[in-house]
Amino acid sequence: MERRVNDRPRLVVVGGDAGGMSAASQARRRLGPEDLRILSLERGPYTSYSACGIPYLVGRTVSSPEELIVRDPATFEREHGIEVRTRTEATDIDLDRRVVRAVGPDGRVEEPYDLLVIATGAVPQRPDLPGATSTGIFGVQTLGDGVAVRRYVDERSPSAAVVVGAGYIGLEMAEALLRRGIHVTVLEAGPEPMGTLDPDMGRLVADALREAGAEFHPSRRVTGFESAEGRVTAVVTDEKTHPCDMVVLGLGVRPNSDLARRAGLEIGPTGGIAVDRRMRTSAENVWAAGDCVEVFHRVSRAPAAIALGTHANKQGRVAGTNLSGGYAAFGGVVGTALTRVCDVEVARTGLNEEEATRAGFEFATATTESTTRAGYFPGAAALTIKLLAERRTGRLLGGQIVGRENAGKRVDVLATALWNGMAVDEMAEMDLGYAPPFSPVWDPVLIAARRLAERV
Amino acid sequence: MERRVNDRPRLVVVGGDAGGMSAASQARRRLGPEDLRILSLERGPYTSYSACGIPYLVGRTVSSPEELIVRDPATFEREHGIEVRTRTEATDIDLDRRVVRAVGPDGRVEEPYDLLVIATGAVPQRPDLPGATSTGIFGVQTLGDGVAVRRYVDERSPSAAVVVGAGYIGLEMAEALLRRGIHVTVLEAGPEPMGTLDPDMGRLVADALREAGAEFHPSRRVTGFESAEGRVTAVVTDEKTHPCDMVVLGLGVRPNSDLARRAGLEIGPTGGIAVDRRMRTSAENVWAAGDCVEVFHRVSRAPAAIALGTHANKQGRVAGTNLSGGYAAFGGVVGTALTRVCDVEVARTGLNEEEATRAGFEFATATTESTTRAGYFPGAAALTIKLLAERRTGRLLGGQIVGRENAGKRVDVLATALWNGMAVDEMAEMDLGYAPPFSPVWDPVLIAARRLAERV
């Protein structure tokens, strides 16, 4: 080990966002600088920011990018004794020699490690289509992307935007652009927006999107982009050409596991880095956390790659505990997701019909319309809940909620029930909070569970 | 059985509100009029109303008492074939002869039954103090009470009101009277409002109450009422006399089990009618449901009498299923309660410190301050969560939440976790919904559970 500058072990973290910095911070909490040196390599200029806040930055709900940053590199260095090198991209990992090679402001470097955390996040899907690299076409994955979109809107005041892909990020960006007074067209390959919902629930989101003033076109395949002087002027689909001043791509992400794969680490069937419950990879002393990994789905019992800051934080914490000699395990996911678009709250957890079918379940469903408050209470608004349960056992498999204010966070009850493997007949008995400003006397979740219990 | 007018069995339901009418409706759903006659006897003029809505009626958030009525007697008769006799009070039950004696508009009657449901609700605690029967002193238990308070406020425009008792109904009434422009003084015997919370959490409610413009005096014992010409003019306490034009009593309720007790039915230690999981009383063919019964508390494992419409509805449904030949069981309660007073949402579930101690638990607590949305998101407001867990096992025992908009209904996650007997370390792993408008990336419930897991 002649490379070590001294005898303290060194942790290198590749990736300075949620997963990586949670691991670094947790390791530091357990081991002081006298026991562990920590170096974080981050490709971009920022650390530990809320990627979920990017649409609100673009829509000017949030005024500056700094508000989205939880801790900047200087704070990590000063308060936590964690060295952070931004604008430094790891290019290779040599597992035998225990070094990470990277390119940064000072050129190529080789950083030796005793312990390694890979937290390289996700990469947005980009279509390989004519014109896809024109100016004015944006992905929105990093805070840098968000800053670029916002600057483009501020400086060029586009009048028409096309959002390609009606998933979470696509619709959140659509809302943000509507807020900026831009005409927005959303193009989606599937039959309804929000492909993680069943189409009957997605339809409610389409209604809200149109009500908010967006054009929504389902079942559209984008075939290319037109441009003038290198700047996008239209999106071409199999049916029609949509002129526009800017394009936002919201086509989802995949685990950014290329670095790990090249190093020879085991990659799972989802394309994410394979890890055990302690977030250990297939190589000794190498951990991984965040959007780049795949984890256990508690309902399907299959590996799942779900890009979400909440998981990244938990996984990073687990990795940081374990690599510093403790014991912690990541409990898996149930597939919970939540957003608000155009005044409609959209939530899902567990498996949708397609996922449940793929996982081999035979199931029944029930959809209930209710209200977010007692019917007579001012502000009571529509709320629709759909539940899926396994036939015979009645075990809850998943749930979807679409409704106005006060609807979405109810998904937590479903997520907690799923986590515990509850059957819908028992769910219907639960003692949930009731008061007229919060719920009808029969809580919508209980009604839905009861109806479904009568069908399984 | 010579008393029968024909050979169809007859169900008599004593009490026409949530518990009684849920039982009647469920029985009717299962057995048509050709198989079962149903008679409901109701002391007051209304059936099936939202008692929880009464404060909103007084505060004019809800415009008319009719809005609070789910189904009126005529609807029950017309649509469900359920005979309802209002203003008819049951005075005796003769279990041997299977008759209920009652007094109504037509004088004394004797109604034979084959099946009987007792759903006599709760009675407000009234202090036995000098002047307690003066005009202008109100309890608020029935919709009739609510109508009377509202009429008094409308007609006499009182300028100062005293609310005695700072529990749920007392504080909801305080808020309603503040909305009507009345100066409100709240007197409470305990150290803080909301005695079902621990005092450290109750203090947050006291702050909100004072911020909203009410006077709040804890640790005050009411010793009497002063009046002039039969109308209340002041509330006298051990420390001071509070002049006022009206008084609202919010001293809690007790199960109205007198009729059952006189009939010889078994009454439990809480004063509620003892029932089994099917809501059967100690007498054959006699069921009970609603605020008049006591039920199993899943955390303390002791009987509990909790007056709440949600339980009454479920219990009535269970009774109605069983008495009509089906099988259903009431799963018990975990002690969830929720309200909003003066812009603060207050929720609790499980056991508080005093209750946990009484039940014999050794426990640890953790209190976490967080926000209702991501810190950078507009409208993010303070939220405090306190959790209790058993030592050694780490099992959640209870939780309390006080916070601004978006805080209270989170209690459902705690209630669901309690229902499943979860330990706080596992709770901290759960996959709850996250998006900036709904929660910080570390959900307040998860943070609280994690902190507590480190202490048990």
Side-chain angles (χ1 to χ4, degrees):
Chain A
M1 295 294 220
E2 75 287 358
R3 280 178 283 91
R4 286 203 190 152
V5 291
N6 63 32
D7 56 358
R8 289 174 299 157
R10 189 191 209 202
L11 165 64
V12 173
V13 176
V14 179
D17 199 6
M21 297 318 287
S22 291
S25 302
Q26 178 66 359
R28 177 56 81 227
R29 237 172 258 130
R30 296 173 42 87
L31 296 175
E34 65 286 356
D35 293 314
L36 183 72
R37 289 175 296 152
I38 306 180
L39 168 68
S40 165
L41 306 175
E42 163 57 37
R43 191 170 54 168
Y46 305 106
T47 53
S48 289
Y49 57 86
S50 169
C52 302
I54 293 171
Y56 305 104
L57 179 68
V58 174
R60 287 197 169 276
T61 303
V62 170
S63 56
S64 84
E66 284 67 34
E67 290 185 58
L68 299 184
I69 296 170
V70 183
R71 257 182 228 98
D72 62 13
T75 307
F76 276 114
E77 303 234 15
R78 198 178 55 241
E79 294 181 9
H80 303 274
I82 295 171
E83 186 185 352
V84 180
R85 249 176 267 158
T86 54
R87 301 182 200 274
T88 302
E89 180 165 10
T91 53
D92 288 287
I93 299 167
D94 185 331
L95 293 173
D96 295 330
R97 290 184 54 224
R98 294 197 175 176
V99 293
V100 176
R101 292 192 199 91
V103 184
D106 304 324
R108 299 200 156 271
V109 289
E110 234 189 47
E111 297 296 343
Y113 69 80
D114 300 289
L115 306 162
L116 179 64
V117 172
I118 302 176
T120 41
V123 278
Q125 312 271 15
R126 280 190 90 106
D128 184 19
L129 290 172
T133 56
S134 305
T135 305
I137 302 182
F138 298 94
V140 274
Q141 172 67 8
T142 66
L143 186 50
D145 296 338
V147 168
V149 177
R150 170 143 145 178
R151 190 180 302 130
Y152 193 85
V153 173
D154 287 351
E155 292 175 359
R156 306 192 62 91
S157 304
S159 59
V162 172
V163 173
V164 182
Y168 291 85
I169 187 73
L171 293 192
E172 286 165 7
M173 287 300 298
E175 184 186 21
L177 297 172
L178 285 169
R179 277 178 178 271
R180 300 297 300 271
I182 301 170
H183 182 269
V184 176
T185 301
V186 179
L187 306 176
E188 163 63 34
E192 296 292 349
M194 291 287 174
T196 64
L197 302 185
D198 292 322
D200 53 336
M201 295 296 282
R203 191 168 308 133
L204 303 173
V205 182
D207 294 345
L209 195 58
R210 289 181 177 126
E211 242 176 70
E215 273 186 52
F216 174 66
H217 300 288
S219 308
R220 293 291 163 94
R221 202 168 54 82
V222 172
T223 56
F225 302 90
E226 292 179 356
S227 60
E229 297 171 2
R231 191 176 298 280
V232 71
T233 56
V235 178
V236 186
T237 73
D238 46 356
E239 296 203 18
K240 194 180 151 183
T241 295
H242 299 270
C244 62
D245 307 310
M246 68 180 289
V247 174
V248 171
L249 301 174
L251 295 168
V253 298
R254 60 171 182 81
N256 186 9
S257 52
D258 298 350
L259 181 72
R261 186 191 310 261
R262 285 200 309 273
L265 294 178
E266 188 187 333
I267 305 296
T270 68
I273 301 170
V275 289
D276 68 7
R277 65 179 60 237
R278 298 178 74 169
M279 305 310 293
R280 290 190 296 204
T281 69
S282 58
E284 212 186 336
N285 293 324
V286 182
W287 283 261
D291 296 355
C292 60
V293 306
E294 66 174 29
V295 292
F296 179 69
H297 193 297
R298 295 172 67 97
V299 185
S300 70
R301 298 188 188 163
I306 296 178
L308 207 56
T310 54
H311 302 324
N313 279 334
K314 289 194 195 97
Q315 291 161 3
R317 200 180 155 88
V318 167
T321 298
N322 287 314
L323 68 86
S324 57
Y327 177 73
F330 182 70
V333 301
V334 293
T336 310
L338 173 61
T339 190
R340 189 175 79 186
V341 280
C342 304
D343 288 339
V344 161
E345 302 183 358
V346 183
R348 58 95 70 211
T349 187
L351 307 178
N352 61 25
E353 291 201 30
E354 190 189 317
E355 292 163 339
T357 302
R358 202 187 316 137
F361 287 105
E362 193 169 321
F363 58 88
T365 71
T367 302
T368 302
E369 285 174 26
S370 183
T371 53
T372 54
R373 306 175 193 270
Y376 58 80
F377 202 87
L383 171 159
T384 305
I385 295 191
K386 176 175 183 173
L387 297 183
L388 283 72
E390 186 181 23
R391 286 231 187 262
R392 217 175 51 78
T393 67
R395 191 160 68 94
L396 182 70
L397 296 178
Q400 298 161 44
I401 301 175
V402 179
R404 301 276 158 175
E405 189 170 13
N406 252 329
K409 202 51 172 134
R410 292 165 198 260
V411 76
D412 286 355
V413 177
L414 305 179
T416 306
L418 269 181
W419 191 277
N420 288 284
M422 289 187 86
V424 283
D425 58 351
E426 186 167 12
M427 282 177 64
E429 297 184 2
M430 288 199 303
D431 183 2
L432 302 184
Y434 160 66
F438 300 95
S439 189
V441 65
W442 279 105
D443 189 280
V445 167
L446 303 186
I447 299 174
R450 205 179 70 200
R451 295 238 172 106
L452 186 48
E454 287 160 5
R455 291 182 190 182
V456 288
Chain B
M1 291 297 216
E2 76 286 359
R3 281 178 281 94
R4 286 201 191 155
V5 291
N6 65 31
D7 57 358
R8 291 174 299 158
R10 187 192 211 204
L11 165 64
V12 173
V13 176
V14 179
D17 198 8
M21 296 319 286
S22 292
S25 302
Q26 177 67 358
R28 177 54 80 226
R29 235 171 259 131
R30 295 173 42 87
L31 296 176
E34 65 287 357
D35 293 314
L36 183 72
R37 292 173 295 151
I38 306 180
L39 168 67
S40 165
L41 305 174
E42 164 57 38
R43 191 170 53 169
Y46 305 105
T47 52
S48 289
Y49 56 86
S50 169
C52 301
I54 293 171
Y56 306 104
L57 179 68
V58 174
R60 288 196 168 277
T61 302
V62 170
S63 57
S64 84
E66 283 67 35
E67 290 186 59
L68 299 185
I69 295 169
V70 183
R71 256 181 230 100
D72 63 12
T75 307
F76 277 113
E77 304 234 13
R78 195 179 57 242
E79 294 181 11
H80 304 274
I82 295 171
E83 185 186 354
V84 179
R85 249 176 268 157
T86 54
R87 301 181 201 276
T88 302
E89 180 164 11
T91 54
D92 289 286
I93 299 166
D94 186 330
L95 294 174
D96 295 329
R97 291 184 52 224
R98 294 197 175 177
V99 293
V100 176
R101 291 191 199 90
V103 184
D106 304 325
R108 302 202 154 269
V109 290
E110 235 189 43
E111 296 297 342
Y113 69 80
D114 299 289
L115 306 161
L116 179 65
V117 171
I118 302 176
T120 41
V123 279
Q125 311 270 13
R126 280 191 89 108
D128 184 21
L129 291 171
T133 55
S134 306
T135 305
I137 301 182
F138 298 93
V140 274
Q141 171 67 9
T142 65
L143 185 50
D145 296 337
V147 169
V149 177
R150 171 145 144 177
R151 189 179 304 130
Y152 194 85
V153 173
D154 287 352
E155 291 176 0
R156 307 194 62 91
S157 304
S159 58
V162 172
V163 173
V164 182
Y168 291 85
I169 187 73
L171 293 193
E172 286 165 7
M173 287 301 297
E175 182 185 23
L177 297 172
L178 284 169
R179 276 178 179 273
R180 300 297 301 269
I182 300 170
H183 182 267
V184 176
T185 301
V186 180
L187 305 176
E188 164 62 35
E192 297 292 347
M194 292 285 174
T196 64
L197 302 185
D198 292 322
D200 54 335
M201 295 295 283
R203 190 167 308 133
L204 304 173
V205 182
D207 294 345
L209 196 58
R210 289 182 177 126
E211 243 175 70
E215 273 187 53
F216 174 67
H217 300 289
S219 308
R220 291 291 163 92
R221 200 168 55 82
V222 172
T223 55
F225 301 90
E226 291 178 0
S227 61
E229 294 169 8
R231 189 175 298 278
V232 69
T233 56
V235 179
V236 185
T237 73
D238 44 357
E239 297 202 16
K240 194 179 152 183
T241 296
H242 299 271
C244 63
D245 306 311
M246 69 180 289
V247 173
V248 171
L249 301 175
L251 296 167
V253 298
R254 60 172 183 80
N256 186 10
S257 53
D258 298 351
L259 181 73
R261 186 191 309 263
R262 284 199 309 272
L265 294 178
E266 188 188 331
I267 306 296
T270 68
I273 301 170
V275 289
D276 68 7
R277 66 180 59 235
R278 299 178 73 168
M279 305 310 293
R280 292 189 295 205
T281 69
S282 58
E284 213 185 336
N285 294 325
V286 182
W287 283 260
D291 297 354
C292 61
V293 307
E294 66 174 29
V295 291
F296 180 69
H297 192 296
R298 295 171 67 95
V299 185
S300 71
R301 298 187 186 164
I306 296 178
L308 208 54
T310 54
H311 302 323
N313 279 335
K314 289 193 195 100
Q315 292 160 4
R317 200 180 155 87
V318 167
T321 299
N322 287 314
L323 67 85
S324 57
Y327 176 73
F330 181 71
V333 300
V334 293
T336 310
L338 173 61
T339 189
R340 189 175 79 185
V341 280
C342 303
D343 288 339
V344 161
E345 301 183 0
V346 183
R348 60 94 68 210
T349 188
L351 308 179
N352 61 25
E353 291 203 29
E354 191 189 318
E355 291 164 340
T357 303
R358 202 186 317 135
F361 286 107
E362 194 169 319
F363 58 88
T365 72
T367 302
T368 301
E369 286 175 26
S370 184
T371 54
T372 54
R373 305 176 194 269
Y376 58 79
F377 202 87
L383 170 160
T384 305
I385 295 191
K386 177 176 182 173
L387 298 183
L388 282 72
E390 187 181 22
R391 287 232 186 260
R392 215 174 53 78
T393 67
R395 191 160 67 94
L396 183 70
L397 296 178
Q400 299 160 46
I401 300 175
V402 178
R404 301 278 158 173
E405 189 169 15
N406 252 327
K409 203 50 172 135
R410 292 164 198 261
V411 76
D412 285 356
V413 177
L414 305 179
T416 307
L418 268 181
W419 190 277
N420 287 284
M422 289 188 86
V424 282
D425 57 352
E426 187 166 14
M427 283 177 64
E429 297 183 4
M430 289 198 303
D431 185 0
L432 302 184
Y434 160 66
F438 300 94
S439 188
V441 64
W442 278 104
D443 190 280
V445 168
L446 302 186
I447 299 176
R450 205 179 70 199
R451 295 240 172 105
L452 186 48
E454 288 162 3
R455 290 184 190 180
V456 289

